[in-house]
Amino acid sequence: MRLRVEFTTEPFDLDEAPAHAVVAREVIQSAELDAVDVGPFGNTAEGGADEVLTAVDGLLRRALASGATRVSLQVNVVGEGER
């Protein structure tokens, strides 16, 4: 099974990326995922179910420990023809 996760961390800071946002991106970028797209207002990653779920666990734990007060995420099953 393939999954796609989309996430944001808060609070936002438009002047510079807060520590929790930097940490969350580092977790996702260093995970064994196939497709990663990071941006200022949202991030997306895709890969096998085990890899995505492991990355989400690390993302939640590290972002909250780094000052995130809210993490919004959505996980979708990706069909064969979707990407």
Side-chain angles (χ1 to χ4, degrees):
M1 177 187 312
R2 290 187 56 78
L3 299 176
R4 179 183 303 128
V5 61
E6 300 173 49
F7 68 92
T8 58
T9 61
E10 296 179 39
F12 295 115
D13 184 341
L14 296 177
D15 294 326
E16 84 179 58
H20 58 79
V22 173
V23 165
R25 290 179 190 158
E26 288 172 354
V27 168
I28 291 299
Q29 289 175 322
S30 67
E32 295 183 25
L33 302 174
D34 302 331
V36 175
D37 182 28
V38 297
F41 299 108
N43 307 282
T44 305
E46 188 176 309
D50 288 338
E51 292 78 13
V52 170
L53 295 174
T54 297
V56 166
D57 177 66
L59 157 74
L60 291 171
R61 292 176 188 278
R62 293 199 48 211
L64 293 169
S66 296
T69 57
R70 179 180 183 149
V71 179
S72 301
L73 65 90
Q74 178 174 311
V75 177
N76 294 305
V77 174
V78 179
E80 288 296 317
E82 295 180 56
R83 284 214 180 161

